[in-house]
Amino acid sequence: MGTKERREREREALRGEILAAARDLFISEGYERVSMRRIAERIEYSPTTIYLYFRDKSEILAEICDQTFARLAKSLQRIEAKGLDPLEELRESCEAYIQFGLRNRHQYRLTFMVSSQNMDRGEESHYEGSMGEQAFGYLERSVARCVEAGNFRAVEVNVASQVVWVSIHGLTSLLITLDEDDFPWVDKKKLIGETLETLLRGLMK
């Protein structure tokens, strides 16, 4: 390995350390309480070094969100590649989305519940072309196939897609934020199944 390649690998390794430390701190201490200096202390580097990689903690949070969306998109991509019946594909994608959130509850909260309030909304922050758009695109294409196959009544694809996302995000968020001590949930598998059944039946002819 040449000097250039080795330095690039070292840079990527340090970048990964910064992201991992920031993610852990955002989760354990709260985004608002964490400073760039605090992140630097965690990995035992100077704050100046952190600023060589990220402009501020908002940019770090944006990168963490992109990584989370990329993992979600990969999960939905695998389902799309199966070539299932459109309705079954959408059902499986919705369940995969919910299970992803429940398995990665801290990252999900950072991505969907913290980032929307705290990320910088400057010119560099946009939805078009983002990993979030890619992840949503899988759901949207799945809905479009259901419409084309005649599974759904005449609905606008973008409207129906957002209805689907609002429904599964709402359920996922509630299951993450309210545990059994806060609310007497029924069996979660049954709740998820009934929610998806009600959602899809509401869109069907």
Side-chain angles (χ1 to χ4, degrees):
M1 181 187 299
T3 302
K4 183 178 180 181
E5 290 78 8
R6 183 170 58 254
R7 287 178 178 171
E8 184 61 32
R9 179 171 292 186
E10 290 171 352
R11 282 182 57 82
E12 285 303 309
L14 180 53
R15 181 183 176 86
E17 283 187 53
I18 295 169
L19 290 169
R23 182 177 59 247
D24 291 345
L25 289 169
F26 291 160
I27 290 169
S28 63
E29 300 182 11
Y31 176 84
E32 291 293 346
R33 296 186 180 90
V34 177
S35 64
M36 293 290 274
R37 179 175 294 278
R38 181 76 181 89
I39 297 170
E41 290 173 353
R42 171 62 68 93
I43 62 173
E44 299 181 342
Y45 276 86
S46 70
T48 303
T49 300
I50 306 295
Y51 283 111
L52 293 175
Y53 291 81
F54 297 98
R55 180 183 67 249
D56 51 28
K57 68 176 185 177
S58 173
E59 189 171 59
I60 294 176
L61 180 57
E63 180 66 23
I64 292 171
C65 291
D66 273 351
Q67 291 182 353
T68 301
F69 277 126
R71 292 173 59 205
L72 174 59
K74 188 174 182 178
S75 176
L76 298 177
Q77 182 184 42
R78 285 195 294 266
I79 295 172
E80 185 178 64
K82 291 181 179 181
L84 300 171
D85 170 82
L87 198 58
E88 183 58 30
E89 177 189 302
L90 181 58
R91 186 190 304 274
E92 192 169 322
S93 295
C94 289
E95 185 163 356
Y97 178 103
I98 296 168
Q99 294 300 336
F100 176 87
L102 297 181
R103 287 194 307 271
N104 304 278
R105 56 184 61 221
H106 295 308
Q107 292 92 327
Y108 191 92
R109 291 185 73 163
L110 279 177
T111 301
F112 289 99
M113 304 175 199
V114 175
S115 65
S116 61
Q117 301 173 9
N118 294 288
M119 279 201 295
D120 179 20
R121 296 302 174 185
E123 292 183 3
E124 294 181 7
S125 298
H126 56 82
Y127 175 71
E128 186 176 353
S130 68
M131 291 307 304
E133 183 186 38
Q134 289 187 40
F136 183 74
Y138 286 105
L139 287 177
E140 192 168 41
R141 286 194 297 275
S142 188
V143 169
R145 282 189 280 271
C146 287
V147 173
E148 292 167 3
N151 298 123
F152 288 170
R153 52 189 166 79
V155 291
E156 295 179 42
V157 171
N158 60 340
V159 173
S161 300
Q162 292 185 23
V163 166
V164 169
W165 178 68
V166 166
S167 300
I168 59 178
H169 168 64
L171 176 59
T172 304
S173 300
L174 285 171
L175 289 176
I176 287 174
T177 55
L178 296 178
D179 59 27
E180 286 77 4
D181 293 331
D182 299 313
F183 185 79
W185 293 110
V186 298
D187 177 75
K188 289 183 180 179
K189 183 176 181 180
K190 184 175 183 179
L191 177 62
I192 292 170
E194 289 295 331
T195 299
L196 295 182
E197 183 70 18
T198 300
L199 170 63
L200 296 179
R201 282 191 177 277
L203 292 168
M204 293 169 68
K205 289 183 176 179

